[in-house]
């Protein structure tokens, strides 16, 4: 039996007013956030056209910086604003990032087998502590052996902490992790599912990959824990990826990043006291983390400046290429200036939507003079760059999500030897690519253009 017409009118009126007020509130929040004009315009258009859908989507996914939840990383290195060793170092120090550190030991790992052996040796030789942070730990032979190695060290009295992203490790080796907990290790998940929708955390994933042994040695890079990334028995299905080992004073920055992430996940402060060695090699490196726990966007903004300053080469390797408009424009301008711009992407990645989205950006760069290299032998998952006499590698893809949303960690390299190692890796990779960019049909180009309008909403 239906209620009185007046009651129905009042109910509808209250609902409409409520949606309008909530939409205006969300629009106000949007205008307060540091976003590109394209991103803000895309969200507001979404709110106007589909408010009933846009408001809940924004509450779950729209927040980009969560300063109340993610306090800025407290870096132990108080010696900011040292004399910069490079123009990029100067830029990053202006963002209050840790300065570049000389006399470090850096070793590039560019094969699944070498990486697996280096990682297992690092765990086996740890004496006091092992702190691990990964986006993905898979339930396969590599994932289980990794967790079992940590379990053996925990039983031997080594302090073991394992932190994983909840979405990334939905299908982890849970039985092995249970044994790890029973051995006395601390195992936590970052940004779990059970949280308030208004927190916006579901859109802020921890994409960092770090292992710290005894607060003195670091394993990091683009590789997660899984057979696709690393294995002592690689197959034709193994991916092409990069990782590295680092020793020296720069390790302290990784300890600070891990401490910050662990405190968010656990809700408890921790103290890392073991000092890293002050010198270990010939490399000059600089850790640049990014994400909601960094007040500004030093990685994104620093790369824009680097691209505009480049005069000889810009080589980029990334599995997913969906850059922000400022990064895309900087690449185009560099190519038009005659800089040797090369972008290496997999022929086909694991993300069809990302492959679809990259088309317009890659063609824009190619039209300006860049060369697009499509890697054909396998899935190419590496995230690396060589810009003139500097290089970078780590966890960040060259896309909107990595640059402006995810928790990431990139290592910049300024010494000739390390830059040469990464340059040689690029040269070998280019030799396994083709440069025939497909020419899409008109319907596809129109679809890509529509998608490009919505991409900033990420």
């Amino acid at each position: 039996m239906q209620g009185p017409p007046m009651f129905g009118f009042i109910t509808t009126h209250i609902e409409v007013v409520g949606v309008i007020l909530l939409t205006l509130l969300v629009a106000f929040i949007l205008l307060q956030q540091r976003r590109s004009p394209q991103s803000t315009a895309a969200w507001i258009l979404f709110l106007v056209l589909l408010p009933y859908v846009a408001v809940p989507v924004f509450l779950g996914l729209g927040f980009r910086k969560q300063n109340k939840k993610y306090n800025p990383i407290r870096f132990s290195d108080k010696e900011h604003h040292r004399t910069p060793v490079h123009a990029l170092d100067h830029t990053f120090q202006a963002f209050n990032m840790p300065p570049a550190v000389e006399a470090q030991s850096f070793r590039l790992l560019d094969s699944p087998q070498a990486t697996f052996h280096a990682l297992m040796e690092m765990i086996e030789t740890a004496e006091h502590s092992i702190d691990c942070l990964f986006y993905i730990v898979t339930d396969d032979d590599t994932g289980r052996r990794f967790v079992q190695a940590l379990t053996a060290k925990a039983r031997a009295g080594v302090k073991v902490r394992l932190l994983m992203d909840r979405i990334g490790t939905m299908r982890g080796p849970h039985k092995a992790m249970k044994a790890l907990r029973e051995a006395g290790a601390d195992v936590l998940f970052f940004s779990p599912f059970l949280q308030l929708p208004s927190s916006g955390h579901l859109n802020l994933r921890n994409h960092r990959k770090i292992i710290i042994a005894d607060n003195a040695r670091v394993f990091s890079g683009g590789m997660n824990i899984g057979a696709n990334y690393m294995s002592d028995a690689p197959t034709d299905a193994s991916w092409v990826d990069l990782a590295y080992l680092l020793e020296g004073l720069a390790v302290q920055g990784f300890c600070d990043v891990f401490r910050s992430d662990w405190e968010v996940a656990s809700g408890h402060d921790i103290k890392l006291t073991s000092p890293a060695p002050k010198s270990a090699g010939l490399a000059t490196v600089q850790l640049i983390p990014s994400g909601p726990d960094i007040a500004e966007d030093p990685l994104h903004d620093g790369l824009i400046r680097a691209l505009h300053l480049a005069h000889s080469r810009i080589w980029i390797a990334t599995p997913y290429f969906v850059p922000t408009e400022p990064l895309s424009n900087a690449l185009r301008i560099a190519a038009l200036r005659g800089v040797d711009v090369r972008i290496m992407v997999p022929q086909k990645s694991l993300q069809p939507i990302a492959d679809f989205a990259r088309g317009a950006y890659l063609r824009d760069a190619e039209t300006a003079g860049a060369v697009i290299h499509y890697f054909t032998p396998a899935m190419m998952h590496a995230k690396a760059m060589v810009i003139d006499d500097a290089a970078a590698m780590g966890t960040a893809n060259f896309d909107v999500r990595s640059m402006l949303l995810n928790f990431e960690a990139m290592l910049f390299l300024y010494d000739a030897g390390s830059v040469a190692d990464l340059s040689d890796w690029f040269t070998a990779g280019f030799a396994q690519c083709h440069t025939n960019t497909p020419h899409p049909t008109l319907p596809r180009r129109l679809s890509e253009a529509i998608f490009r309008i919505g991409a900033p909403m990420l």
Side-chain angles (χ1 to χ4, degrees):
M1 183 175 180
Q2 294 181 347
M6 180 60 69
F7 178 79
F9 171 78
I10 294 175
T11 301
T12 302
H13 179 71
I14 292 174
E15 290 176 351
V16 170
V17 171
V19 170
I20 291 174
L21 291 176
L22 193 55
T23 301
L24 290 174
L25 175 62
V26 171
F28 175 78
I29 295 173
L30 270 170
L31 294 173
Q32 302 305 306
Q33 293 183 347
R34 187 175 183 269
R35 291 176 176 271
S36 68
Q38 295 89 346
S39 174
T40 302
W43 270 110
I44 290 178
L45 181 63
F46 189 23
L47 286 167
V48 170
L49 295 179
L50 293 169
Y52 290 95
V53 178
V55 169
V57 168
F58 178 83
L59 293 177
L61 303 178
F63 292 96
R64 194 172 78 80
K65 295 283 186 181
Q66 289 284 319
N67 289 332
K68 291 183 179 179
K69 175 70 174 178
Y70 307 118
N71 292 323
I73 298 172
R74 305 187 310 275
F75 290 107
S76 300
D77 188 349
K78 303 300 183 182
E79 297 182 37
H80 290 310
H81 305 293
R82 295 179 187 168
T83 301
V85 301
H86 192 276
L88 275 176
D89 181 18
H90 181 272
T91 298
F92 290 134
Q93 287 194 49
F95 283 97
N96 292 317
M97 291 291 97
V101 185
E102 298 175 293
Q104 307 299 286
S105 174
F106 171 83
R107 176 187 168 194
L108 183 67
L109 301 170
D110 60 0
S111 75
Q113 196 167 20
T115 302
F116 181 79
H117 290 160
L119 179 143
M120 296 302 286
E121 180 183 11
M122 183 177 180
I123 293 174
E124 291 167 1
T125 56
E127 298 178 354
H128 308 293
S129 65
I130 305 173
D131 293 320
C132 308
L133 167 60
F134 281 93
Y135 180 62
I136 296 174
V137 178
T138 58
D139 187 14
D140 59 17
D141 180 68
T142 296
R144 288 187 291 271
R145 289 173 66 179
F146 166 74
V147 176
Q148 289 164 2
L150 293 178
T151 303
K153 298 305 289 189
R155 288 173 178 158
V158 174
K159 178 63 176 177
V160 175
R161 298 185 183 97
L162 174 60
L163 178 59
M164 298 157 287
D165 186 85
R166 176 69 277 184
I167 287 184
T169 311
M170 283 192 294
R171 299 180 179 179
H174 299 294
K175 185 177 180 180
M177 290 179 191
K178 180 180 178 182
L180 178 58
R181 288 190 180 96
E182 292 173 349
D186 296 322
V187 181
L188 294 177
F189 286 97
F190 195 92
S191 193
F193 295 128
L194 298 178
Q195 54 190 332
L196 294 174
S198 61
S199 66
H201 300 164
L202 287 178
N203 203 33
L204 306 175
R205 309 316 311 175
N206 199 316
H207 200 237
R208 294 165 179 160
K209 296 97 174 170
I210 299 171
I211 299 179
I212 308 168
D214 299 329
N215 292 338
R217 294 172 290 153
V218 162
F219 169 96
S220 190
M223 297 187 188
N224 290 294
I225 302 296
N228 285 332
Y229 307 93
M230 62 183 79
S231 172
D232 60 352
T235 67
D236 292 339
S238 297
W239 297 356
V240 172
D241 210 335
L242 291 171
Y244 60 86
L245 294 176
L246 181 69
E247 293 184 45
L249 192 61
V251 171
Q252 185 61 57
F254 290 86
C255 295
D256 297 332
V257 170
F258 179 85
R259 179 188 62 228
S260 180
D261 287 347
W262 185 268
E263 290 176 352
V264 168
S266 67
H268 302 290
D269 293 345
I270 63 173
K271 188 175 183 180
L272 302 176
T273 56
S274 300
K278 293 185 178 180
S279 62
L282 301 176
T284 300
V285 305
Q286 185 174 29
L287 171 64
I288 304 299
S290 66
D293 52 1
I294 302 294
E296 299 288 338
D297 299 302
L299 176 61
H300 175 264
D301 296 351
L303 283 176
I304 291 173
R305 183 168 190 262
L307 297 179
H308 283 304
L309 290 177
H311 58 81
S312 61
R313 62 177 174 176
I314 299 171
W315 296 354
I316 297 170
T318 179
Y320 312 115
F321 186 81
V322 188
T324 64
E325 291 298 327
L327 283 172
S328 179
N329 289 336
L331 283 173
R332 289 185 63 258
I333 293 170
L336 289 169
R337 290 191 288 110
V339 177
D340 176 19
V341 177
R342 306 187 195 189
I343 303 168
M344 183 163 59
V345 294
Q347 171 71 28
K348 183 179 180 181
S349 78
L350 300 181
Q351 301 292 339
I353 293 179
D355 290 350
F356 171 81
R358 75 187 186 186
Y361 295 100
L362 291 175
R363 291 195 303 276
D364 282 353
E366 187 176 54
T367 300
V371 178
I372 313 303
H373 295 263
Y374 297 91
F375 190 81
T376 56
M379 168 62 183
M380 196 276 297
H381 191 254
K383 308 98 163 50
M385 287 170 274
V386 176
I387 303 175
D388 289 349
D389 60 346
M393 61 178 295
T395 70
N397 300 308
F398 208 85
D399 65 6
V400 176
R401 171 159 291 280
S402 279
M403 293 294 165
L404 298 180
L405 290 176
N406 286 344
F407 297 80
E408 305 283 1
M410 293 293 286
L411 187 72
F412 281 75
L413 309 166
Y414 301 121
D415 63 285
S418 300
V419 174
D421 288 343
L422 204 51
S423 298
D424 291 343
W425 178 85
F426 267 98
T427 301
F430 292 150
Q432 302 178 72
C433 297
H434 73 78
T435 57
N436 300 316
T437 298
H439 297 284
T441 61
L442 178 60
R444 177 170 179 124
R445 292 201 303 272
L446 292 175
S447 300
E448 289 175 347
I450 294 173
F451 186 93
R452 190 166 182 170
I453 293 174
M457 290 175 60
L458 294 173

